[in-house]
Amino acid sequence: MSGTVRGISEDMDRQIIQAVRDEDIMSSNTVGMSDLSDEILLCILRHVPVCDLVMNVANVCQKLHTLCYDKSLLSNVSLSEEYLADDLLVRYILTQLANHVQSISLNGCYWLNGAIVERLSRCRGVTHLDVTGCRLSSTRLSRILSSLSQLRSLAFDVTPGFTSAMLSSEAVDSLSRLSELRQTLLTPSYGVVPCCAKLRKLMLQFDISDVTREGVGVCCQLMVGQSSVPHYQQLEEFTARLAPGEVNQTLLLLYLAVFSVHVPKRLRVFLVSIPGPNPAHWPAAPSLAKSLGQRGDLEALQLPRSWLDSLSLKQALEGNSPKHLSFSRCPALWPQVFQSLLEGGVKDSTQLISLNLSGINQVLYSECRSVEDQLVPGTMSRLAVGCPNIKYLNLMHTHYHHENSAGLGGETHLCASLAKFKQLRSLTLPACALADGLNTHQISQNTSPSALFLGLKKIPRVGLQNYKPETESSLAGDSTSGLAQLLAGCPLLETLEVIGPGFVSVLPRLEPCSRASVEPRGMCTWARGVGDAHIAALEALPRLRRLTLAGLPGVLRGTGLVQLAKHCEDLRVLSLANMGSLKTMNYTPALLDALRQCTQLQELRLEQPYLNANVSFFEALSCCSRLQRLCLISRSGTFDAAATETFMERCRHVIMCHMFMGGTLVACRTLQKTLLDRFTYDRSALSVVIYPLQHEDLPSVIRDIPLTLLDRITLFQSHVAQPPHLSSL
């Protein structure tokens, strides 16, 4: 009887499902996209790139053609990262949109011909223009500015050979009306700042090498004879980001010379980022801090470590409600920072959105003997209560050792305290902050009871059993209870960085300043407790889009990467560096399995001393069909030229292929030429750099890479956990 009833029930279910399908088919036959209201269609079209909008969608029908040229869609146009937009397409788009566009960005369009960029002069209604990274001479810039009488915001590069004397009187008039300016300085110069008397926002990026390609030293005396910088009478925001080098610091002080005499009355944002442990001293810093504190409208503050002391910091924050604060590598300010944020030193701490505390309690492991030298869970809990709206938090180059701090004041694991930041979107942590205690298995393998027996002790065999996807991914004794609390409390995390102590990228651009500000590898034993199980636990972050894992010796087989890839389906950016043993790459099989499942991945940065980029590697990577940028860094690594070429043919969206590996210079140059000759025609934005990592000319090669791509491969700068518009600072 029960079988008959079950059969009738299943038959009814099939009839219901069939009826629903029939209704859907009838609906699809009678209702089309053209039947939707204009408001709904405009909301949909707002997510379509402008190239597709003008070239494809507008040609479907008359209704879509009309909507595609709606003012709300074409007033703000960005061609940044539209890597398939070649000269002909951009020329057509600029011609079609000349009478519509008000704000246009060609940021990072390094591949466009200068004559095409000059056609921006026909867009006479533009008020905001960004041509950073474009090929633009002083003469062409002058022609563009002469036609844009309504321009209010400008972003461009000051390249060698630039001179303001080449600007026409009409161009100078346009500059005099600017309220916002962003300059990337590639040569010592004031740029167009002296022409901009009404600036409210000034954003500077200093990227000048101390030595030219010919080996000649660069000196700021090149600035003699130029006009003096204006007094920034109306300036409200000042930001400056410096690359390593004395020339950049000297030039910055020249830009800030006016501040020692007069601090703009309306200044509310002051962000200066100087890499390295010894920034040049600026005597006017205390008076600036005092001036910022008197007005009560400070929004963002970042000063180098030698520019601040406890008193000036207290004066700057008192009575203000800042939204963005950065105290990177300022350990002496540790007490004052929390006193200001937690004990009424600021007017309203709930306004704080981003906080950079990278290296604020930086103490070498050998000297880390007291709780005062570490992050304290109780303090972070109070910070979470007092600043509940923090979305971007950076705690890199700090320490937390759960075994030492357990039970103090009844506080729990540091991760439990961080879980109280319910609004977190971006988080950077030291590896030891995730460990629940010492990993005794690793300690027994990596330490000896006495130095006397170091020469007699048998060296443990390097290597592991073959990778099996279904095997247990963690070692016995590993615990992820602290991390589980963090992940449960911060489900909105989109960006996560976990970086071990002592990690330094081998890329030469930031290597000197990085080595001077981090600990030697392996000094923090607690960091070795972070392994495969911790990476697997990250599957609890469904919104994760950007992940950085660097300097984690406790990762052995990499099985956690497989679980992560299965559940974090929206992962777009993945950066892995120095995982597990540096003598051999044990997690290769798991990595290949994970890559096969990262279907949404757009950027991959992989740095490992013994990376074998063979046929299997590139076959797995070919499954990442949306990949755009690839950077491989391996001092003793090898690559298969034929497999690389096949990969580039399969992944048609890849426009950046940077490989700094082992091998001969001839082999690297041959592969680079082959890829450029074969794929540049279809990908005008293609950037291929294949070079031996140990070659003496590598610094000059790095210098030739467009800055927009160079920033993509130097991701470990302890400034990442900040809002998008401040991430470069």
Side-chain angles (χ1 to χ4, degrees), residues 82 112 199 257 288 322 331 363-364 486 521 577 589 627 644 672:
E82 292 288 343
L112 295 180
L199 282 182
L288 170 68
V363 179
L364 291 178
L486 170 63
R521 173 182 168 84
L627 194 69
T644 307
Q672 177 176 314

Side-chain angles (χ1 to χ4, degrees), residues 123-396:
C123 305
R124 299 181 180 274
V126 167
T127 59
H128 294 72
L129 177 63
D130 187 348
V131 288
T132 303
C134 295
R135 305 174 188 174
L136 206 59
S137 63
S138 302
T139 304
R140 282 183 168 142
L141 178 64
S142 177
R143 293 172 184 167
I144 294 174
L145 295 177
S146 299
S147 303
L148 306 182
S149 59
Q150 302 182 40
L151 193 65
R152 296 297 178 267
S153 175
L154 173 65
F156 78 110
D157 295 339
V158 180
T159 56
F162 175 86
T163 172
S164 57
M166 298 293 294
L167 300 177
S168 64
S169 58
E170 292 83 1
V172 174
D173 288 340
S174 296
L175 292 171
S176 66
R177 292 186 286 270
L178 286 183
S179 60
E180 180 177 332
L181 174 65
R182 185 168 77 246
Q183 288 187 163
T184 300
L185 297 159
L186 305 176
T187 186
S189 172
Y190 281 131
V192 298
V193 173
C195 304
C196 308
K198 297 182 179 180
L199 282 182
R200 295 187 178 182
K201 298 181 182 180
L202 178 58
M203 293 157 282
L204 304 171
Q205 179 170 341
F206 299 83
D207 209 299
I208 310 166
S209 176
D210 288 342
V211 181
T212 64
R213 176 177 289 276
E214 293 76 20
V216 181
V218 178
C219 181
C220 281
Q221 290 180 353
L222 295 175
M223 299 181 62
V224 173
Q226 296 192 17
S227 303
S228 60
V229 175
H231 288 258
Y232 309 126
Q233 295 292 344
Q234 301 182 32
L235 197 65
E236 299 177 3
E237 300 182 14
F238 181 90
T239 63
R241 176 194 179 189
L242 277 67
E246 294 184 4
V247 172
N248 293 314
Q249 296 195 36
T250 303
L251 184 57
L252 171 65
L253 295 182
L254 290 174
Y255 270 86
L256 293 175
V258 176
F259 282 79
S260 60
V261 179
H262 169 73
V263 177
K265 296 181 179 180
R266 300 180 181 179
L267 192 67
R268 52 187 175 81
V269 173
F270 192 87
L271 300 167
V272 173
S273 173
I274 301 179
N278 299 311
H281 181 64
W282 187 42
S287 60
L288 170 68
K290 183 178 180 180
S291 177
L292 292 174
Q294 290 176 344
R295 291 188 292 272
D297 56 355
L298 177 67
E299 290 189 8
L301 178 65
Q302 176 177 356
L303 294 176
R305 60 188 300 174
S306 64
W307 292 14
L308 273 178
D309 54 36
S310 297
L311 178 60
S312 59
L313 175 60
K314 180 180 179 181
Q315 292 175 339
L317 297 181
E318 195 169 10
N320 282 289
S321 301
K323 296 180 179 179
H324 314 285
L325 294 176
S326 178
F327 305 104
S328 178
R329 302 186 302 277
C330 299
L333 301 180
W334 170 269
Q336 185 58 53
V337 169
F338 287 97
Q339 181 180 355
S340 297
L341 292 176
L342 302 178
E343 299 179 8
V346 298
K347 184 178 180 181
D348 184 6
S349 60
T350 62
Q351 298 295 318
L352 193 63
I353 297 177
S354 70
L355 181 62
N356 186 349
L357 301 178
S358 171
I360 199 168
N361 71 334
Q362 183 179 352
V363 179
L364 291 178
Y365 170 62
S366 57
E367 303 172 2
C368 192
R369 299 188 178 95
S370 64
V371 175
E372 287 75 15
D373 295 332
Q374 304 177 34
L375 293 173
V376 181
T379 304
M380 299 306 296
S381 293
R382 294 177 58 197
L383 186 65
V385 174
C387 309
N389 295 316
I390 290 182
K391 296 182 179 179
Y392 309 90
L393 181 62
N394 190 337
L395 298 176
M396 195 167 77

Side-chain angles (χ1 to χ4, degrees), residues 415 427 429 434 480 482-484 486-488 490-491 493-498 530-550 552 555 559-569 571 574-576 579:
C415 288
L427 177 63
L429 285 176
L434 302 184
T480 61
L483 176 59
L486 170 63
L487 301 179
C490 303
L493 270 178
E494 298 177 356
T495 300
L496 177 64
E497 291 185 332
V498 180
V530 178
D532 297 323
H534 295 80
I535 299 178
L538 300 181
E539 67 181 11
L541 296 176
R543 300 192 180 189
L544 191 64
R545 297 170 64 92
R546 305 175 65 93
L547 176 64
T548 295
L549 302 172
L552 303 180
V555 175
T559 52
L561 292 173
V562 182
Q563 291 183 247
L564 173 72
K566 286 181 179 179
H567 295 86
C568 299
E569 299 178 353
L571 190 64
L574 179 61
S575 301
L576 304 176
M579 306 271 281

Side-chain angles (χ1 to χ4, degrees), residues 516-537:
S517 60
V518 299
E519 307 170 16
R521 173 182 168 84
M523 294 192 69
C524 181
T525 312
W526 277 259
R528 294 180 174 270
V530 178
D532 297 323
H534 295 80
I535 299 178

